[in-house]
Amino acid sequence: MKPHHVTIVVVTVGLVLATAAARSSAPAGTDVPAAAVAYHGAMEFYQRLARWAGRRALDAELSYWKEISA
């Protein structure tokens, strides 16, 4: 399996889990449109992905500055 296939599988599983979590967190007795649940799940997933990537970028920059200032 190629790396981009693994990435696609991980992203798909993340979206499914985020959508399921959003649907289960909706108050009981409310009719939430499926599109709203999907958008909310995708938004949460992309927010977490952006935070993770941001942390990795900051760590990389910190390592860079440590190396060039040594």
Side-chain angles (χ1 to χ4, degrees):
M1 197 180 250
K2 294 182 180 180
H4 67 277
H5 290 133
V6 173
T7 303
I8 290 171
V9 169
V10 168
V11 167
T12 303
V13 168
L15 286 173
V16 168
L17 291 175
T19 303
R23 185 172 288 246
S24 67
S25 68
T30 59
D31 270 336
V32 179
V37 173
Y39 286 130
H40 181 72
M43 182 269 313
E44 283 187 355
F45 176 74
Y46 290 129
Q47 183 181 30
R48 289 179 187 162
L49 183 62
R51 285 183 182 157
W52 177 82
R55 287 186 189 119
R56 298 282 297 162
L58 288 174
D59 288 343
E61 185 173 358
L62 181 62
S63 296
Y64 168 78
W65 284 109
K66 282 182 181 178
E67 285 298 319
I68 65 166
S69 64

